């Protein structure tokens, strides 16, 4: 009664108002919150309609919940009054219309234990389903490949477009219009026009754009503002700029700390796109936009050209898979699978080349070996020299690459270091670099490329990294996520998904993981932590608000056809006559085709991945015709192993909810290698629940009971499902290590290592010719009992029932009571019970052909809910005794299913309500989000040529670490009147080349001071590149310049920052020097540091500018 009271109070609350309103916010994040505000960003009318629909769905689910409670209560009352002992749980769930069932012993333990399900998974933190796992079949040609976050958005690249989510829409209900297949419950997003497959993404918050690299070799620029309008708008947005960057695919992108865009492609090709050219292209008017692509396309810099001049040889002939910007030391890392290169981000010079073991590659002085000195002079001589050098360099690189490959094979064996190749690369806030390997090894490097230490916590391949605050998140090919601290200590881990985690990004208080199947989940940035238990408890308590119960019927049929063919009338009698109200039809056939030659050919075809036969195809076509395939049903999967065939048809109105179809085959005959005996299976995801159907043919003969038991055990333990080959390529292309997964990771729900895949299903149905016979009875006695329909006495002699009762086979599975005559063995084309075998052998009639099942019910839970998501009953279990085309009679069984599923759109809204309304949770979040009190030593620095000033940042907090990052908000030229023009930011808030800030990011321990060097770097000449070759050079502008540095400080868990502006002015004119105070003319290391009395607290606003001018303006 207490549960119903809570339900009614919630119902009253939901009826009295729409979902809890929240105050509007700007795009920025509130300084006192860990999570973004979940208020809708669309127009009021549109959102009112969506909210009304969402509230209506909540009411429907609550009424379903109430109906279930009342029906269960009524059944209990009737049982109490009538003193009826109902031993079977299915009778309680479905009433008297369901057949009684017999349950085998041995279930509930070991590999026969029902998989753990719950409203909120007990073994991992609660998660936000931004994009629930889509069905694989809906994603062909549009799989999500990569992901990146900006300050206010999450961007993802697909095989045909880019899409973007606004963080303020995280908890909004899914939009009904404009959503493609697989996105019915996805949070509102917008998608771009069709493009080539997206290979990589990088965000630039400074200019509010996102860059994408594509398979066709193009780089495209997307403006954040054009994609941040109402997510309910379905019109695709277009790119703002694009150009042909590479001949091959663009594999990696990064923006250096100086604002340049670096791109990597196949064959070791790296190109640098100077910010000056990009800025000019972005500033063109619409009428001039046609020139922008050509302007940028020809402006690239080929860093390998400078490498040759400086005496290095290009040993990185492998694909440039990863690029990483180290702003703390102004470097760029490029990496292939087995080697790394370290570049100077300012001069673009190669600093170091080393392999995965940390060993430096050789340096070769080309100039001493070849007379190939290059003088960059305008004219034909320069072009000819460059072309000649390019030919020699490419030839030498090819030879060096081949020699390097031979050396690796000789030292480590062919492909011996594949398990140590690099799969992921990231930089932490303490400036340490982390790489992940195929064998699960985590390697830590310092900023100079020195290998420091390694860690090994998981055997699966590392797929991706992400860092935030003092934590490192690691995604593995097994679907596991682990969290480490900066010292490499393991803080926690869990199975985050049933598919490889291929990308991780942070934003809005979440760590977002992109799985290989295309689903995106958000994890609390504090997980694992104290917030998890509170959110889990609150979310589980609202289960009835987001639980939807689906009902459907499944028709299953089994028939040993004895190498014959059936008439259309026989198929209609068996299947067509009862298929009118079922949603799914699963058919298993045995002995479709036999014979030694056929079995040998079938085994040979299996070794090369081929299966099927013309006879099998005939059966599929005939059954499809019976089911009106094409207009009523659609065949979604089939699998043949020698004479075994299983196939599935789904009604059209159910097709949108059925997918992830996988197939399996297990031979059991002749040394477990030939398919005359064995099993074939299909696995599907139906309403997000896993269903397995297994068609078996076990060992024959009366005395072979133990062999039949062993056949079942072998099938149950070893059946491994796999997806079709054409899907494997599409879904696994995001990573080289995905193919190493065992089959269960394609669909199984949080599989437990070492458990059979059938153990992980929510429902398993076994059907087929199991070949169990009747013991202790003669042929004549059996005929007499059958003619008198005394099936109770015959069931006691049934070998299968005896073995199930002893817990020797089909442990924990159920079968409806048999009320039809034995189905074996009959004379062909002889009707009635008189058709039993009357030949010389007079085989004793037996129930060889059976259908058994196991659903989600356990000893603790039998009512359909998220903890017990699939509850089945049997409404019909019978044989088609009028069919005479084989020596076996076909058997059919109709299951009535209740399936509990989660409406992820509603649960996402409920999660937003919990985070907004739970007082204890809000207090904990505020404490975790508190930014340490920090002060900065100055707000203005004046530098002359090659001056250095020290900027000091003090953490006044006695307990919390402060994390800081320094960006350049923009640069301007000082006018004659001493005032600065408008400040223009470089790419990703990069620094101008004349300014060096070291370190630009770091950690400040409690009561400690960080010293940042602000140095003027002499940079007197600038070069313009055309097609990778310097064309023009000129003196840098000698007028005074000014930049605004922004020191951004945050805590370990908060995305929000407190910021302080520091004006840095470079004075090179005589007028400026004379007007400056004397103390600023001296070149001192402390620069223009303020006195201790002038220390200021950091301000989140930028109102210190006017004070800055009045204090030290020239």
């Amino acid at each position: 009664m207490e549960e119903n009271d809570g339900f009614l109070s919630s119902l009253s609350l939901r009826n009295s108002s729409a979902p809890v309103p929240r105050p509007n916010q700007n795009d920025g994040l509130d300084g006192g919150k860990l999570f973004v505000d979940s208020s809708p960003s669309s127009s009021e009318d549109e959102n009112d309609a969506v909210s009304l629909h969402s509230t209506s769905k909540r009411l429907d689910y609550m009424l379903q919940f109430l109906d279930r409670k009342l029906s269960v209560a009524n059944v209990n009352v009737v049982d109490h009054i009538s003193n009826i002992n109902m031993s079977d749980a299915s009778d309680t769930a479905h009433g008297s219309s369901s057949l009684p069932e017999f349950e085998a012993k041995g279930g509930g333990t070991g590999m026969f234990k029902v998989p753990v399900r719950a409203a909120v998974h007990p073994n991992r933190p609660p998660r936000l389903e931004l994009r629930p796992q889509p069905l694989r079949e809906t994603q062909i040609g549009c799989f999500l490949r990569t992901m990146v976050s900006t300050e206010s958005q999450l961007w993802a690249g697909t095989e045909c477009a880019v899409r973007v989510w606004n963080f303020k829409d995280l908890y909004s209900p899914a939009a009904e219009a404009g959503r493609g297949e697989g996105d019915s419950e996805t949070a509102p997003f917008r998608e771009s026009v069709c493009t080539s497959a997206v290979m990589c993404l990088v965000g630039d918050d400074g200019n509010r754009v996102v860059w994408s690299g594509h398979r066709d070799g193009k780089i495209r620029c997307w403006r954040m503002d054009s994609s941040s309008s109402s997510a309910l708008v379905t019109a695709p947005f277009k790119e703002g700029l694009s150009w042909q960057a590479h001949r091959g695919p663009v594999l990696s992108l990064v923006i250096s700390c100086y604002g340049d865009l670096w791109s990597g492609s196949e064959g070791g090709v790296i190109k640098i796109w100077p910010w000056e050219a990009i800025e000019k292209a972005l500033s063109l008017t619409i009428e001039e936009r046609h020139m922008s692509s050509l302007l940028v396309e020809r402006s690239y810099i080929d860093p390998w050209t400078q490498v040759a001049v400086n005496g290095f040889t290009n040993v990185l002939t492998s694909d440039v898979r990863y690029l990483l910007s180290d702003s703390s030391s102004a470097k760029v890392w490029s990496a292939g699978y087995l080697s790394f290169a370290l570049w100077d981000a300012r001069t673009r010079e190669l600093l170091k080349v080393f392999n995965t073991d940390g060993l430096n590659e050789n340096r070769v002085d080309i100039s001493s070996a070849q007379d190939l000195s290059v003088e960059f002079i305008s004219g034909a001589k320069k072009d000819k020299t460059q072309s000649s050098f390019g030919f020699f360099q490419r030839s030498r690189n090819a030879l060096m690459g081949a020699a390097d490959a031979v050396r690796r094979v000789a030292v480590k064996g062919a492909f011996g270091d594949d398990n140590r190749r690099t799969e992921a690369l990231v930089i932490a806030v303490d400036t340490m670099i982390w790489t992940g390997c195929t064998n699960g090894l985590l390697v830590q490097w310092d900023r100079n490329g020195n290998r420091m230490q390694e860690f090994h916590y998981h055997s699966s391949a590392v797929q991706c990294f992400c860092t935030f605050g003092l934590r490192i998140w690691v995604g593995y090919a097994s679907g596991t996520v682990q969290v480490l601290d900066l010292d490499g200590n393991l803080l926690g881990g869990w199975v985050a998904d049933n598919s490889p985690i291929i990308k991780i990004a942070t934003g809005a208080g979440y760590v977002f993981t992109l799985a290989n199947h295309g689903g995106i989940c958000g994890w609390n940035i504090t997980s694992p932590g104290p917030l998890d238990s509170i959110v889990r408890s609150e979310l589980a308590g609202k289960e009835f608000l987001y639980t939807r119960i689906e009902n459907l019927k499944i028709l299953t049929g089994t028939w040993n056809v004895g190498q014959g063919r059936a008439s259309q009338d026989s198929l209609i009698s068996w299947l067509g006559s009862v298929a009118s109200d079922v949603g799914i039809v699963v058919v298993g056939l045995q002995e479709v085709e036999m014979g030694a030659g056929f079995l040998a050919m079938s085994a040979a075809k299996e070794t090369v991945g081929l299966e099927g036969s013309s006879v099998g195809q005939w059966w599929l076509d005939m059954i499809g015709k019976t089911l009106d395939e094409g207009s009523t049903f659609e065949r979604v999967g089939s699998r043949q192993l020698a004479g075994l065939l299983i196939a599935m048809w789904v009604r059209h109105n159910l097709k949108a909810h059925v997918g992830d179809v996988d197939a399996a085959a297990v031979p059991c005959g002749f040394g477990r290698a030939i398919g005359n005996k064995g099993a074939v299976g299909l696995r599907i995801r139906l309403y997000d629940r896993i269903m397995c159907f297994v068609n078996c043919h076990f060992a024959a003969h009366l005395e072979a009971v133990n062999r039949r038991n062993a056949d079942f055990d072998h099938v149950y333990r070893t059946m491994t499902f796999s997806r079709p080959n054409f899907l494997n390529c599409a879904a696994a292309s995001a990573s080289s290590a995905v193919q190493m997964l065992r089959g269960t990771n394609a669909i199984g729900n949080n599989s437990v290592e070492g458990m059979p895949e059938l153990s992980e299903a929510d429902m398993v149905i076994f059907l087929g010719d199991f070949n169990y016979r009747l013991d202790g009875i003669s042929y004549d006695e059996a005929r007499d009992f059958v003619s008198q329909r005394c099936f109770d006495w015959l069931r006691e002699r049934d070998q299968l029932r005896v073995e199930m009762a002893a817990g020797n086979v089909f442990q924990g599975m159920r079968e409806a009571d048999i009320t039809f005559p034995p189905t074996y063995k009959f004379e062909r084309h002889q009707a009635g019970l008189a058709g039993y075998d009357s030949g010389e052998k007079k085989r004793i009639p037996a129930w060889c052909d059976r259908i058994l099942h196991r659903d989600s019910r356990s000893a603790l839970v039998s009512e359909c809910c998220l903890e017990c998501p699939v509850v089945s009953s049997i409404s019909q279990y019978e044989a088609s005794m009028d069919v005479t085309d084989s020596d076996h009679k076909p058997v059919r069984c109709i299951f009535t299913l209740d399936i509990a599923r989660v409406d992820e759109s509603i649960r996402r809204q409920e999660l937003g309500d919990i985070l907004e309304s739970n007082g204890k949770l809000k207090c904990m979040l505020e404490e975790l989000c508190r930014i340490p009190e920090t002060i900065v030593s100055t707000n203005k620095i004046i530098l002359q040529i090659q001056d250095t000033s020290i900027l000091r940042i003090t953490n006044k907090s006695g307990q919390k670490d402060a994390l800081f990052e320094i960006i350049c908000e923009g640069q301007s030229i000082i006018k004659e009147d001493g005032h600065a023009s408008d400040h223009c930011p470089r790419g990703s808030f990069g620094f101008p080349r004349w300014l060096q800030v070291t370190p630009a990011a770091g950690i400040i321990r409690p009561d400690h001071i960080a010293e940042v060097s602000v140095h003027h770097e002499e940079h007197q000449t600038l070069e313009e590149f055309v097609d990778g070759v310097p064309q023009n050079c000129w003196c840098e502008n000698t007028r005074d310049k000014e930049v605004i540095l922004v020191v951004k400080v945050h805590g370990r868990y908060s995305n929000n920052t407190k910021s302080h502006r520091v004006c840095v002015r470079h004075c090179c004119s005589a007028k400026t020097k004379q007007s400056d105070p004397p103390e600023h003319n001296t070149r001192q290391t402390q620069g223009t540091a303020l006195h201790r009395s002038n220390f200021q607290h950091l301000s989140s606003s930028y109102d210190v500018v006017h004070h800055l001018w009045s204090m030290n303006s020239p």
Side-chain angles (χ1 to χ4, degrees):
M1 189 63 187
E2 292 178 358
E3 183 179 6
N4 289 336
D5 288 342
F7 164 78
L8 292 174
S9 63
S10 178
L11 179 63
S12 174
L13 173 64
R14 291 293 172 186
N15 280 326
S16 62
S17 63
V20 179
R22 305 175 181 90
N24 292 326
Q25 280 187 318
N26 298 325
D27 287 344
L29 304 182
D30 189 292
K33 296 181 181 178
L34 178 62
F35 296 93
V36 296
D37 191 348
S38 52
S39 58
S41 62
S42 311
S43 67
E44 291 185 4
D45 292 340
E46 290 173 326
N47 284 294
D48 287 345
V50 173
S51 297
L52 182 61
H53 178 72
S54 176
T55 304
S56 175
K57 290 170 70 175
R58 281 187 174 94
L59 290 173
D60 288 342
Y61 301 157
M62 288 189 287
L63 289 174
Q64 275 190 345
F65 173 81
L66 189 57
D67 287 343
R68 293 198 307 273
K69 290 293 183 183
L70 290 175
S71 64
V72 170
N74 290 336
V75 169
N76 291 335
V77 170
V78 171
D79 287 347
H80 177 73
I81 294 175
S82 305
N83 290 319
I84 296 176
N85 242 343
M86 303 194 72
S87 59
D88 184 53
S90 66
D91 295 339
T92 303
H94 296 281
S96 58
S97 62
S98 59
L99 300 178
E101 299 177 19
F102 172 80
E103 181 177 357
K105 291 185 178 180
T109 59
M111 66 179 183
F112 301 108
K113 186 177 181 180
V114 176
V116 176
R117 300 289 186 262
V120 183
H121 201 286
N123 299 325
R124 67 184 179 206
R127 65 184 185 183
L128 169 75
E129 293 278 1
L130 184 71
R131 189 192 192 218
Q133 177 181 348
L135 296 175
R136 188 194 314 133
E137 290 78 2
T138 66
Q139 301 301 296
I140 303 303
C142 57
F143 280 99
L144 267 62
R145 291 176 172 273
T146 187
M147 181 175 65
V148 72
S149 62
T150 65
E151 286 187 353
S152 58
Q153 295 174 329
L154 183 71
W155 289 70
T158 76
E159 292 180 317
C160 60
V162 298
R163 58 174 57 181
V164 57
W165 286 266
N166 291 314
F167 286 148
K168 54 190 175 182
D169 292 328
L170 286 183
Y171 308 111
S172 299
E176 294 297 316
R179 297 291 78 114
E181 288 187 300
D183 289 308
S184 59
E185 296 181 356
T186 301
F189 66 92
R190 289 200 64 198
E191 194 163 60
S192 73
V193 295
C194 188
T195 69
S196 174
V198 182
M199 308 299 290
C200 51
L201 291 167
V202 63
D204 177 2
D205 283 304
N207 294 277
R208 293 196 57 76
V209 297
V210 170
W211 302 95
S212 59
H214 297 259
R215 180 185 291 167
D216 61 3
K218 284 190 174 182
I219 294 178
R220 291 176 168 87
C221 173
W222 311 90
R223 296 188 182 275
M224 297 181 191
D225 298 332
S226 65
S227 60
S228 62
S229 58
S230 171
L232 299 179
V233 177
T234 59
F237 57 91
K238 299 180 180 180
E239 70 265 31
L241 173 65
S242 67
W243 70 90
Q244 191 68 39
H246 295 273
R247 294 181 179 178
V250 182
L251 301 177
S252 52
L253 285 173
V254 76
I255 300 177
S256 75
C257 61
Y258 290 103
D260 298 329
L261 182 66
W262 293 53
S263 62
S265 185
E266 295 174 338
V269 176
I270 298 176
K271 291 185 178 181
I272 304 173
W273 311 93
W275 169 249
E276 290 76 15
I278 295 175
E279 182 183 33
K280 186 175 181 180
L282 292 176
S283 65
L284 294 177
T285 63
I286 297 179
E287 293 76 14
E288 301 170 322
R289 189 59 55 84
H290 65 280
M291 303 168 51
S292 59
S293 296
L294 183 61
L295 173 66
V296 179
E297 185 174 328
R298 302 198 65 187
S299 69
Y300 75 88
I301 300 170
D302 182 1
W304 289 118
T305 303
Q306 300 191 35
V307 169
V309 173
N310 290 310
F312 279 92
T313 179
N314 177 8
V315 296
L316 283 181
T317 56
S318 61
D319 300 346
V320 183
R321 294 279 174 179
Y322 318 101
L323 286 169
L324 175 72
S325 175
D326 178 5
S327 60
S328 64
S329 58
K331 295 173 184 174
V332 172
W333 289 56
S334 65
Y337 284 137
L338 300 172
S339 54
F340 304 89
L342 201 55
W343 305 83
D344 188 306
R346 177 178 170 274
T347 63
R348 300 144 181 162
E349 294 178 351
L350 180 62
L351 304 176
K352 183 179 181 181
V353 176
F354 51 100
N355 60 25
T356 53
D357 294 323
L359 302 177
N360 293 346
E361 299 290 352
N362 295 329
R363 173 170 178 158
V364 179
D365 188 358
I366 295 181
S367 60
S368 62
Q370 303 281 352
D371 185 16
L372 294 175
S373 58
V374 179
E375 298 179 8
F376 294 107
I377 310 170
S378 60
K381 180 179 177 181
K382 173 201 66 181
D383 296 336
K384 183 177 179 180
T385 306
Q386 180 65 28
S387 176
S388 301
F389 175 77
F391 169 76
F392 283 110
Q393 182 189 15
R394 289 191 298 270
S395 301
R396 191 176 188 284
N397 290 345
L399 292 174
M400 289 294 293
D404 184 63
V406 172
R407 177 182 63 81
R408 293 182 186 279
V409 170
V411 173
K412 297 188 177 182
F415 308 106
D417 50 0
D418 271 5
N419 65 336
R420 294 175 62 87
R421 67 184 185 180
T422 302
E423 296 284 352
L425 185 70
V426 75
I427 181 170
V429 69
D430 61 353
T431 72
M432 302 299 285
I433 313 297
W434 290 78
T435 59
C437 304
T438 309
N439 62 356
L441 191 69
L442 308 174
V443 183
Q444 185 188 54
W445 310 76
D446 69 10
R447 68 177 71 177
N448 297 316
N450 300 311
R451 187 181 176 115
M452 303 301 293
Q453 52 186 334
E454 60 184 45
F455 306 89
H456 204 175
Y457 296 118
H458 194 61
S459 59
S460 184
V462 177
Q463 295 289 280
C464 52
F465 278 118
C466 184
T467 64
F468 185 85
L470 304 181
R471 291 185 169 189
I472 302 169
W473 291 63
V474 189
Y476 291 92
S478 65
T480 297
V481 164
Q482 290 183 340
V483 185
L484 283 63
D485 64 18
L486 298 182
D487 295 324
N489 300 311
L490 182 63
L491 301 179
W494 57 88
V495 179
D497 218 299
N498 50 41
S499 187
I501 306 299
I502 60 174
K503 207 69 177 179
I504 307 180
T506 63
Y510 286 101
V511 175
F512 295 99
T513 56
L514 169 62
N516 195 49
H517 52 58
I520 301 177
C521 296
W523 307 89
N524 189 317
I525 209 165
T526 66
S527 297
L531 273 64
D532 296 338
S533 59
I534 300 176
V535 176
R536 181 185 293 112
S537 176
E538 289 283 320
L539 203 54
K542 296 189 174 186
E543 174 185 352
F544 60 88
L545 293 175
Y546 51 79
T547 301
R548 179 173 181 173
I549 304 297
E550 306 286 355
N551 311 106
L552 79 153
K553 291 183 178 181
I554 298 179
L555 168 62
T556 58
T558 176
W559 191 9
N560 186 323
V561 298
Q563 304 181 64
R565 300 198 181 191
S567 66
Q568 190 67 41
D569 290 341
S570 296
L571 293 176
I572 292 174
S573 174
W574 175 36
L575 301 172
S577 61
V578 294
S580 59
D581 62 342
V582 301
I584 297 176
V585 178
V586 180
V587 175
L589 304 178
Q590 306 86 42
E591 296 188 14
V592 168
E593 196 171 357
M594 298 294 282
F598 172 75
L599 293 176
M601 181 61 70
S602 175
K605 290 169 65 176
E606 288 284 337
T607 60
V608 294
L610 300 177
E611 53 104 0
S613 69
S614 59
V615 177
Q617 187 60 48
W618 181 89
W619 278 100
L620 294 176
D621 293 341
M622 288 297 293
I623 296 174
K625 182 179 178 181
T626 303
L627 297 174
D628 194 18
E629 181 178 340
S631 59
T632 305
F633 284 91
E634 178 180 344
R635 180 158 57 91
V636 297
S638 63
R639 180 68 164 95
Q640 184 173 355
L641 172 67
L644 284 162
L645 175 65
I646 189 171
M648 178 185 298
W649 287 263
V650 173
R651 194 173 289 273
H652 280 303
N653 60 4
L654 192 63
K655 181 64 174 63
H657 306 288
V658 177
D660 289 0
V661 181
D662 293 329
V666 179
C668 291
F670 301 129
R672 305 290 192 206
I674 305 299
N676 62 315
K677 296 294 187 288
V680 287
L682 290 176
R683 179 174 62 183
I684 65 170
R685 189 153 62 95
L686 169 64
Y687 291 122
D688 208 34
R689 301 303 174 188
I690 309 306
M691 309 281 180
C692 291
F693 304 86
V694 185
N695 173 29
C696 303
H697 193 187
F698 293 156
H701 305 301
L702 177 67
E703 68 280 359
V705 175
N706 291 334
R707 286 177 55 194
R708 287 188 279 273
N709 293 351
D711 284 348
F712 165 77
D713 189 73
H714 178 66
V715 168
Y716 195 89
R717 290 179 183 273
T718 63
M719 180 163 277
T720 302
F721 293 89
S722 61
R723 63 191 63 178
N725 291 331
F726 74 95
L727 284 175
N728 253 337
C729 299
S733 59
S735 170
S736 63
V738 171
Q739 58 188 350
M740 301 177 63
L741 287 171
R742 76 188 193 99
T744 185
N745 289 322
I747 192 170
N749 244 349
N750 303 304
S751 59
V752 179
E753 195 67 28
M755 291 291 284
E757 296 187 18
L758 291 175
S759 301
E760 301 160 2
D762 295 289
M763 183 171 185
V764 181
I765 296 178
F766 273 82
L767 59 147
D769 180 2
F770 300 159
N771 258 322
Y772 287 89
R773 310 300 173 89
L774 297 180
D775 261 335
I777 190 172
S778 67
Y779 172 80
D780 293 330
E781 288 175 328
R783 289 289 302 269
D784 289 341
F785 280 111
V786 170
S787 63
Q788 298 173 28
R789 302 190 69 84
C790 295
F791 299 139
D792 291 342
W793 193 88
L794 287 178
R795 282 198 297 265
E796 295 178 3
R797 302 293 187 271
D798 177 38
Q799 290 178 341
L800 180 56
R801 282 290 177 101
V802 172
E803 294 300 309
M804 290 174 66
N808 295 331
V809 71
F810 291 105
Q811 290 87 341
M813 294 193 180
R814 294 183 174 92
E815 181 186 28
D817 285 349
I818 300 175
T819 59
F820 52 86
T823 58
Y824 174 82
K825 176 183 182 181
F826 288 85
E827 299 289 344
R828 294 176 188 266
H829 307 296
Q830 187 170 342
L833 297 179
Y836 280 112
D837 184 15
S838 58
E840 180 182 349
K841 293 185 178 180
K842 286 190 175 181
R843 291 182 178 86
I844 300 172
W847 286 297
C848 292
D849 310 285
R850 313 285 277 270
I851 301 176
L852 287 72
H853 76 285
R854 185 268 294 165
D855 57 15
S856 300
R857 285 175 289 178
S858 64
L860 300 177
V861 185
S862 61
E863 178 189 349
C864 185
C865 60
L866 296 182
E867 188 176 353
C868 178
V870 179
V871 175
S872 64
S873 66
I874 298 175
S875 59
Q876 187 180 121
Y877 188 36
E878 57 191 18
S880 298
M881 302 303 294
D882 58 329
V883 176
T884 61
D885 300 291
S886 171
D887 57 350
H888 289 252
K889 299 297 183 182
V891 175
R892 65 183 176 225
C893 183
I894 297 180
F895 294 90
T896 301
L897 268 61
D898 287 343
I899 303 176
R901 56 176 296 209
V902 172
D903 188 323
E904 295 294 353
S905 178
I906 300 299
R907 182 157 74 170
R908 191 167 54 244
Q909 297 173 67
E910 293 300 326
L911 177 60
D913 288 342
I914 291 170
L915 297 174
E916 185 70 23
S917 60
N918 186 288
K920 181 178 180 181
L921 198 61
K922 292 179 71 174
C923 290
M924 295 178 67
L925 290 175
E926 290 175 1
E927 178 61 28
L928 290 171
C929 291
R930 185 168 290 122
I931 300 173
E933 182 184 0
T934 319
I935 57 177
V936 175
S937 59
T938 185
N939 56 14
K940 184 169 184 182
I941 296 175
I942 297 178
L943 297 176
Q944 297 179 17
I945 296 177
Q946 293 188 309
D947 255 355
T948 300
S949 178
I950 300 299
L951 182 68
R952 295 179 176 87
I953 309 171
T954 304
N955 181 3
K956 300 293 290 182
S957 169
Q959 298 179 340
K960 295 186 176 182
D961 295 326
L963 286 69
F964 76 92
E965 178 188 9
I966 302 177
I967 62 174
C968 179
E969 192 180 56
Q971 174 180 275
S972 64
I973 302 299
I974 304 301
K975 301 177 182 178
E976 292 296 329
D977 59 3
H979 291 87
S981 57
D982 293 337
H983 293 82
C984 300
R986 296 176 66 86
S988 196
F989 294 116
F991 302 110
R993 299 198 179 281
W994 56 267
L995 185 65
Q996 187 177 46
V997 179
T998 309
I1003 307 170
I1004 313 174
R1005 300 301 179 187
D1007 296 324
H1008 280 65
I1009 299 175
E1011 293 190 343
V1012 178
S1013 170
V1014 182
H1015 174 71
H1016 175 267
E1017 190 73 37
E1018 187 174 7
H1019 189 69
Q1020 295 298 327
T1021 59
L1022 294 174
E1023 294 177 326
E1024 181 181 11
F1025 285 76
V1026 178
D1027 296 334
V1029 180
Q1031 296 289 342
N1032 302 304
C1033 57
W1034 63 90
C1035 291
E1036 188 179 15
N1037 196 320
T1038 57
R1039 288 188 294 176
D1040 294 352
K1041 293 176 286 292
E1042 179 181 272
V1043 297
I1044 300 296
L1045 299 182
V1046 179
V1047 182
K1048 304 175 72 174
V1049 180
H1050 64 91
R1052 64 171 62 190
Y1053 292 123
S1054 177
N1055 292 87
N1056 311 306
T1057 61
K1058 288 185 178 179
S1059 303
H1060 184 79
R1061 279 180 158 178
V1062 178
C1063 174
V1064 179
R1065 180 171 293 188
H1066 167 48
C1067 301
C1068 55
S1069 64
K1071 177 180 177 181
T1072 304
K1073 292 179 183 179
Q1074 292 173 3
S1075 62
D1076 284 338
E1079 62 269 24
H1080 294 308
N1081 285 321
T1082 60
R1083 294 164 63 178
Q1084 300 174 352
T1085 57
Q1086 74 266 24
T1088 58
L1090 298 177
H1091 296 294
R1092 181 69 60 175
S1093 60
N1094 290 330
F1095 280 7
Q1096 298 183 19
H1097 285 33
L1098 293 179
S1099 173
S1100 57
S1101 64
Y1102 295 155
D1103 52 0
V1104 298
V1105 176
H1106 298 295
H1107 175 64
L1108 185 151
W1109 297 128
S1110 61
M1111 183 172 58
N1112 274 321
S1113 292

